[in-house]
Amino acid sequence: MTHGAFEPFVGVDHYSEAGRLRTDDLAVRSRAAEMLARAAQALSSAAAEYRRTRLPAPTREQPFPPQELVEPAVAARRCAERYTAAADRVRNAPFPPDPKKAWKKLRGAGAARLLELDRTLVGQSEYAAAVVSGVVAELLTEIPTQEAYDALAAVTATLEDRIAYLSGL
């Protein structure tokens, strides 16, 4: 019998209810994390393209670009780092160590609560990814960073609720 980090390597028991619960949990978290990671990648790519196309080449007179030109790329990088951190947190969220006991407690109303939390987590991850979707170097100065940070805060709050709910089983 394996636990924790080795389960993905050995496989998950798909034939029991507890195994299906574990599989569903992994699927929900990986879907939400993948959306956030793709948004982070889009932000990083746009920031790199912005630096490549919008910043002037260094000269002896001005070896560093003006700060007002660099700021959008820096802000996009910071935002991408937050998206990456949120994706990692969602992907690595804990699951109850004993899925069989958890499954017994998750029948009926417990399963409905977990399903509601999962739907909320995926929906908020979709929204957070949509906030920065379509970001390109030309529009880097128009990224709604505060809205993106608020969306990530909502994802984190839902994830905390989900972790608290599962740890209480």
Side-chain angles (χ1 to χ4, degrees), residues 57-161:
T59 62
R60 272 184 195 252
E61 294 79 31
Q62 190 171 12
F64 301 105
Q67 187 62 29
E68 62 273 0
L69 290 178
V70 176
E71 187 55 39
V74 171
R77 285 277 184 200
R78 269 191 245 121
C79 194
E81 288 170 2
R82 285 195 181 185
Y83 270 83
T84 300
D88 290 344
R89 186 158 165 74
V90 168
R91 188 176 288 116
N92 298 324
F95 189 75
D98 189 0
K100 290 180 183 177
K101 282 185 182 178
W103 173 250
K104 289 177 185 175
K105 293 180 179 180
L106 278 176
R107 291 186 180 153
R113 173 73 178 135
L114 182 60
L115 181 63
E116 174 190 336
L117 287 168
D118 288 345
R119 284 183 179 159
T120 304
L121 181 67
V122 170
Q124 288 175 341
S125 297
E126 285 175 354
Y127 175 70
V131 168
V132 295
S133 68
V135 65
V136 291
E138 293 80 25
L139 301 175
L140 203 59
T141 57
E142 300 172 13
I143 294 176
T145 53
Q146 189 57 46
E147 187 178 355
Y149 292 160
D150 291 344
L152 290 176
V155 168
T156 303
T158 301
L159 183 64
E160 290 296 327
D161 289 347

Side-chain angles (χ1 to χ4, degrees), residues 9-86:
F9 298 117
V10 195
V12 177
D13 176 18
H14 296 283
Y15 301 106
S16 68
E17 296 293 328
R20 283 193 289 275
L21 176 66
R22 176 78 173 142
T23 303
D24 291 347
D25 175 67
L26 289 171
V28 165
R29 288 187 294 117
S30 65
R31 180 175 175 198
E34 183 64 27
M35 286 185 280
L36 295 172
R38 285 185 183 166
Q41 180 61 36
L43 283 166
S44 293
S45 297
E49 181 68 17
Y50 179 86
R51 282 184 179 270
R52 190 180 68 72
T53 60
R54 299 290 175 150
L55 297 183
T59 62
R60 272 184 195 252
E61 294 79 31
Q62 190 171 12
F64 301 105
Q67 187 62 29
E68 62 273 0
L69 290 178
V70 176
E71 187 55 39
V74 171
R77 285 277 184 200
R78 269 191 245 121
C79 194
E81 288 170 2
R82 285 195 181 185
Y83 270 83
T84 300

